[in-house]
Amino acid sequence: MPAFALLPAMLTTLAVAGSAAVFPVNRVFCIGRNYRWSQDEAAPTEMPAWFMKPANAVVPAHGGLPYPPGTADFCHEIELVVAIGRGGSDIAATQVEAGHIWAYAAGLDLTRRDLQQQAKRAGGPWEPAKAFDHSAPCTALVPAAVSGHPKTGALWLAVNGVERQRADLSDLLWSVPELVAMLSRSVTLQPGDLIFTGTPAGVGPLQPGDVLTAGIAGIGQLTMTVTPTHSPLSGEIA
Ligand code: MN
């Protein structure tokens, strides 16, 4: 092993429900629109877009959630998160569940919506809108050996006790196996990769002091409080 010129950044990990072991987070893929946001929307004919967040955007989904810098429109998105246990490329959708998915969780794809709208207008990259510190809180992972592969079940999010998002996993436009298969045709998936599978209607802004509660039936629940100041990521030094 070579001598490192710097201390390497710490590996990001997530808790595993019912286990002392932690899950090593590799990469974070996020799926674009994957629920109907209105009854008028036509059924999609093309697979949704995807983008990425850095692994260290993943933080445990409890405690404080720092309001990020550079935005006046910090928005919540509740999403089913899929954790990859075995990687591969050109994975057949029929092989995804038994062969490649290790666990599920509830996650937040937090978004600086004003920067996303600016990026859409300018044709610019989405990273400023999506890939910021603390932008991917995630509950403890529930191994698929425990949860099975959920096809139905409510996902919901409330702010200060007022419900903002509610849908059912059966409302996903493209199924988890279809999404994993799609990604694997584009990149080689690896163990530790997380996939955020898109959010239903009802996304909206958060303010400092807001208490955010959310969950996915049978998978996990979370409570976080938006804190007024941005705090740098901890843990750069081992
Ligand atoms: Mn999203």
Side-chain angles (χ1 to χ4, degrees):
M1 195 150 99
F4 290 114
L6 303 173
L7 282 172
M10 271 178 70
L11 184 69
T12 298
T13 60
L14 271 176
V16 176
S19 170
V22 293
F23 181 88
V25 177
N26 185 38
R27 298 173 296 181
V28 181
F29 296 92
C30 299
I31 302 296
R33 185 73 72 85
N34 197 27
Y35 290 84
R36 276 200 180 79
W37 280 14
S38 82
Q39 299 298 340
D40 307 331
E41 280 177 33
T45 55
E46 291 181 6
M47 297 293 289
W50 58 272
F51 58 92
M52 295 184 75
K53 299 188 185 223
N56 70 359
V58 175
V59 294
H62 53 73
L65 174 59
Y67 196 100
T71 185
D73 196 5
F74 177 42
C75 283
H76 56 75
E77 300 188 356
I78 177 71
E79 309 201 0
L80 176 69
V81 178
V82 176
I84 298 294
R86 187 157 65 83
S89 54
D90 293 317
I91 300 168
T94 52
Q95 300 302 309
V96 166
E97 291 184 347
H100 299 275
I101 295 179
W102 192 80
Y104 293 91
L108 300 173
D109 168 17
L110 297 169
T111 302
R112 293 192 278 216
R113 192 73 68 202
D114 43 1
L115 300 192
Q116 187 190 28
Q117 282 159 350
Q118 195 179 313
K120 284 180 175 177
R121 281 195 303 272
W126 280 23
E127 282 85 352
K130 292 287 195 177
F132 53 94
D133 297 352
H134 311 275
S135 61
C138 201
T139 62
L141 292 165
V142 180
V146 175
S147 65
H149 297 278
K151 300 290 187 297
T152 62
L155 69 166
W156 56 274
L157 181 144
V159 178
N160 302 324
V162 179
E163 194 167 280
R164 297 265 190 95
Q165 296 187 268
R166 178 170 287 275
D168 193 277
L169 295 177
S170 61
D171 299 327
L172 279 167
L173 294 173
W174 298 93
S175 70
V176 167
E178 287 169 324
L179 297 173
V180 174
M182 171 194 76
L183 281 170
S184 80
R185 292 193 293 271
S186 189
V187 295
T188 301
L189 291 175
Q190 296 178 326
D193 287 342
L194 297 180
I195 303 166
F196 284 60
T197 57
T199 199
V203 301
L206 295 164
Q207 304 298 336
D210 282 349
V211 177
L212 185 157
T213 52
I216 301 179
I219 300 296
Q221 291 198 26
L222 63 94
T223 300
M224 300 186 83
T225 302
V226 182
T227 58
T229 47
H230 168 73
S231 54
L233 285 170
S234 60
E236 276 84 13
I237 296 170

